[in-house]
Coordinates of all heavy atoms in Angstrom, one line a residue:
L708 N 0.8 -1.2 0.0 CA 0.0 0.0 0.0 C 0.9 1.2 0.0 O 2.0 1.2 0.5 CB -0.9 0.0 1.2 CG -1.8 -1.2 1.5 CD1 -2.5 -1.0 2.8 CD2 -2.8 -1.4 0.4
D709 N 0.3 2.3 -0.5 CA 1.0 3.6 -0.4 C 0.3 4.5 0.7 O -0.7 4.0 1.2 CB 1.1 4.3 -1.7 CG -0.2 4.7 -2.3 OD1 -1.2 4.9 -1.6 OD2 -0.3 4.9 -3.6
A710 N 0.9 5.6 0.9 CA 0.3 6.5 2.0 C -1.1 6.9 1.7 O -1.9 6.9 2.7 CB 1.2 7.7 2.2
D711 N -1.5 7.1 0.5 CA -2.9 7.5 0.2 C -3.8 6.4 0.5 O -4.9 6.6 1.0 CB -3.0 8.0 -1.3 CG -2.3 9.3 -1.5 OD1 -2.1 10.1 -0.6 OD2 -2.0 9.6 -2.7
E712 N -3.4 5.1 0.1 CA -4.2 4.0 0.4 C -4.4 3.8 1.9 O -5.5 3.4 2.4 CB -3.6 2.7 -0.2 CG -3.7 2.8 -1.7 CD -2.9 1.7 -2.4 OE1 -1.7 1.5 -2.1 OE2 -3.5 1.0 -3.3
M713 N -3.3 4.0 2.7 CA -3.4 3.9 4.1 C -4.4 4.9 4.7 O -5.3 4.5 5.4 CB -2.0 4.2 4.8 CG -1.0 3.1 4.5 SD -1.0 1.8 5.6 CE -0.6 2.6 7.1
R714 N -4.3 6.1 4.3 CA -5.2 7.2 4.7 C -6.6 6.9 4.3 O -7.6 7.1 5.0 CB -4.8 8.5 4.2 CG -3.6 9.1 5.0 CD -3.3 10.5 4.5 NE -1.9 10.8 4.7 CZ -0.9 10.7 3.8 NH1 -1.1 10.3 2.6 NH2 0.4 11.0 4.2
G715 N -6.8 6.4 3.1 CA -8.1 6.0 2.5 C -8.8 5.0 3.3 O -10.1 5.0 3.4
H716 N -8.1 4.1 4.0 CA -8.6 3.1 4.9 C -8.8 3.7 6.3 O -9.2 3.0 7.2 CB -7.8 1.9 4.9 CG -7.9 1.1 3.7 ND1 -9.0 0.4 3.3 CD2 -7.0 0.8 2.7 CE1 -8.8 -0.2 2.1 NE2 -7.6 0.0 1.8
G717 N -8.4 4.9 6.5 CA -8.5 5.6 7.8 C -7.4 5.2 8.8 O -7.6 5.3 10.0
H718 N -6.2 4.9 8.3 CA -5.1 4.5 9.1 C -3.9 5.4 9.0 O -3.7 6.1 7.9 CB -4.7 3.0 8.8 CG -5.9 2.1 9.0 ND1 -6.5 1.9 10.2 CD2 -6.6 1.4 8.0 CE1 -7.5 1.0 10.0 NE2 -7.6 0.7 8.7
D719 N -3.2 5.5 10.0 CA -2.0 6.4 10.1 C -0.8 5.8 9.4 O -0.3 4.8 9.9 CB -1.7 6.7 11.6 CG -0.6 7.7 11.8 OD1 -0.1 8.2 10.8 OD2 -0.2 7.8 12.9
P720 N -0.3 6.5 8.3 CA 0.9 6.0 7.7 C 2.1 6.1 8.6 O 3.1 5.4 8.3 CB 1.1 6.9 6.5 CG -0.2 7.6 6.3 CD -0.9 7.6 7.6
E721 N 2.0 6.8 9.7 CA 3.2 7.0 10.6 C 3.1 5.9 11.7 O 3.9 6.0 12.7 CB 3.2 8.4 11.2 CG 3.4 9.5 10.1 CD 4.6 9.3 9.3 OE1 5.7 8.9 9.9 OE2 4.6 9.5 8.1
D722 N 2.2 5.0 11.7 CA 2.1 3.9 12.7 C 3.5 3.3 12.9 O 4.0 2.6 11.9 CB 1.1 2.9 12.3 CG 0.8 1.8 13.4 OD1 1.7 1.6 14.2 OD2 -0.3 1.3 13.4
P723 N 4.1 3.4 14.1 CA 5.5 2.9 14.2 C 5.5 1.4 14.3 O 6.6 0.8 14.2 CB 5.9 3.5 15.6 CG 4.6 3.7 16.3 CD 3.6 4.1 15.3
D724 N 4.4 0.7 14.4 CA 4.4 -0.8 14.5 C 4.2 -1.5 13.1 O 4.1 -2.7 13.1 CB 3.3 -1.2 15.5 CG 3.6 -0.8 16.9 OD1 4.8 -0.6 17.2 OD2 2.6 -0.6 17.7
L725 N 4.2 -0.7 12.1 CA 4.1 -1.3 10.8 C 5.4 -1.2 10.0 O 6.1 -0.2 10.1 CB 2.9 -0.6 10.0 CG 1.5 -0.8 10.5 CD1 0.5 0.1 9.8 CD2 1.1 -2.3 10.5
I726 N 5.6 -2.2 9.1 CA 6.8 -2.1 8.2 C 6.5 -1.1 7.2 O 5.5 -1.1 6.5 CB 7.0 -3.5 7.6 CG1 7.2 -4.6 8.6 CG2 8.1 -3.4 6.5 CD1 7.2 -6.0 8.0
R727 N 7.5 -0.2 7.1 CA 7.5 0.9 6.1 C 8.8 0.7 5.3 O 9.9 0.8 5.9 CB 7.5 2.2 6.8 CG 6.6 3.2 6.3 CD 6.6 4.5 7.1 NE 7.4 4.7 8.3 CZ 6.9 4.7 9.5 NH1 5.7 4.5 9.8 NH2 7.7 4.8 10.5
L728 N 8.7 0.6 4.0 CA 9.9 0.4 3.2 C 10.0 1.4 2.1 O 8.9 1.8 1.5 CB 9.9 -1.0 2.5 CG 9.8 -2.2 3.4 CD1 9.6 -3.5 2.6 CD2 11.1 -2.3 4.3
D729 N 11.2 1.9 1.8 CA 11.4 2.8 0.6 C 11.7 1.9 -0.6 O 12.7 1.2 -0.6 CB 12.6 3.7 0.9 CG 12.2 4.8 1.9 OD1 11.0 5.2 1.9 OD2 13.1 5.1 2.7
I730 N 10.8 1.9 -1.6 CA 10.9 1.1 -2.8 C 10.8 2.1 -4.0 O 9.8 2.8 -4.2 CB 9.7 0.1 -2.9 CG1 9.8 -0.8 -1.6 CG2 9.8 -0.7 -4.2 CD1 8.6 -1.7 -1.5
D731 N 11.9 2.1 -4.7 CA 12.0 3.0 -5.9 C 11.6 4.5 -5.5 O 10.9 5.1 -6.2 CB 11.1 2.5 -7.0 CG 11.5 1.1 -7.5 OD1 12.7 0.9 -7.5 OD2 10.7 0.4 -7.9
G732 N 12.1 4.9 -4.4 CA 11.9 6.3 -4.0 C 10.5 6.6 -3.4 O 10.2 7.8 -3.2

C-alpha cells in the first residue's frame, strides 16, 4: 500500500508498528 491507500482506509501511515519500506523512492 502507499500512504494515500493507508489514509483512505482511515489508518495512520506513521504507525510505528508497521513495516515501512522505501521502494523506488
Side-chain angles (χ1 to χ4, degrees):
L708 304 177
D709 63 24
D711 289 338
E712 290 169 312
M713 293 275 294
R714 285 185 205 96
H716 288 293
H718 303 295
D719 180 8
E721 299 303 318
D722 185 335
D724 294 333
L725 293 175
I726 298 168
R727 225 180 356 256
L728 301 171
D729 289 325
I730 301 170
D731 296 328

